[in-house]
Amino acid sequence: NAGVMQNPRHLVRRRGQEARLRCSPVKGHSHVYWYRQLPEEGLKFMVYLQKENIIDESGMPKERFSAEFPKEGPSILRIQQVVRGDSAAYFCASSPDYAGGGHRAKNIQYFGAGTRLSVL
Amino acid sequence: QQQVKQSPQSLIVQKGGISIINCAYENTAFDYFPWYQQFPGKGPALLIAIRPDVSEKKEGRFTISFNKSAKQFSLHIMDSQPGDSATYFCAASMNNAGNMLTFGGGTRLMVKP
């Protein structure tokens, strides 16, 4: 049972370019969360998605950031016109459905290894 | 308030000693409190978790103590080993609000041989 897969592991972009980060959740999980971790800090929630729907994006910057989780394929976190302050590790986590894992199981989030974005 | 405050920021323990990391939260609606372990260059991995209906949970060398009235919980690592050297994060979430995790700032643990 493969875990959460994120790619690329490392991404280097110049200021003004676009960054696309991909996340494939654990097979059978339909809940995806994105978190950002700045150096020497804890993880900060960005956005919560279920298949084809954004459930909560209260942690997303209002501009340049967007996320999707299509019916087929991985979840994508997109950062347009990157700036140096976007340099961070971006982690994706997934959790099971209520029906599939039980009501307590859906609390459990499994994290990927992250994408480390460096903006030059 | 959604904050979770974690202390200490860093901790050095001798091999075989007890490592203790503390967290405090403000939102009484939180109903799930996991601890994550993160090694450099890796993603966080769930270590142990507790719900507010119990005061203690033990799994192997790892124990969570939970004090609902004080809104505090702590992780105890017994017989600490060099392999436990990592960054530890406490977190909290609400079942009826999407289960998004609110993380503490992290504790960098070093266990000396």
Side-chain angles (χ1 to χ4, degrees), chain A residues 9 33 35 37 40-45 47-48 55-56 58 91 103-114 116, chain B residues 31-32 36 38-46 51 53 89 93-95 97-106 108:
Chain A
R9 292 294 311 277
Y33 304 81
Y35 296 85
Q37 184 177 34
E40 307 300 322
E41 292 188 12
L43 288 81
K44 297 287 194 289
F45 166 75
V47 61
Y48 164 39
I55 306 302
D56 188 322
S58 58
F91 291 96
H103 78 281
R104 289 184 174 233
K106 73 179 180 143
N107 282 127
I108 300 174
Q109 294 184 23
Y110 300 88
F111 282 79
R116 280 148 185 84
Chain B
D31 58 8
Y32 177 69
Y36 281 84
Q38 185 180 31
F39 292 104
K42 305 293 185 183
L46 179 65
R51 298 183 187 277
D53 52 349
F89 293 98
S93 67
M94 286 179 279
N95 186 46
N99 297 307
M100 294 83 76
L101 290 165
T102 299
F103 282 87
R108 184 174 291 181

Side-chain angles (χ1 to χ4, degrees), chain A residues 14 27 30 36 64 68 70-71 73 80 100 105:
Chain A
R14 297 191 179 279
K27 187 177 181 181
S30 60
R36 177 165 64 178
R64 302 186 298 107
E68 63 177 15
K71 186 176 180 181
Q80 295 179 289

Side-chain angles (χ1 to χ4, degrees), chain B residues 24-104:
Chain B
Y25 63 98
E26 298 174 8
N27 190 339
T28 55
F30 285 140
D31 58 8
Y32 177 69
F33 302 88
W35 284 88
Y36 281 84
Q37 180 188 57
Q38 185 180 31
F39 292 104
K42 305 293 185 183
L46 179 65
L47 196 59
I48 186 172
I50 199 168
R51 298 183 187 277
D53 52 349
V54 297
S55 59
E56 186 176 280
K57 183 174 181 180
K58 183 176 180 179
E59 290 183 1
R61 295 185 295 112
F62 301 93
T63 300
I64 299 179
S65 297
F66 187 83
N67 186 330
K68 189 174 181 178
S69 61
K71 293 187 286 185
Q72 295 175 347
F73 58 111
S74 60
L75 175 69
H76 290 60
I77 306 174
M78 314 299 286
D79 187 26
S80 299
Q81 299 296 313
D84 296 331
S85 298
T87 300
Y88 293 81
F89 293 98
C90 63
S93 67
M94 286 179 279
N95 186 46
N96 64 353
N99 297 307
M100 294 83 76
L101 290 165
T102 299
F103 282 87

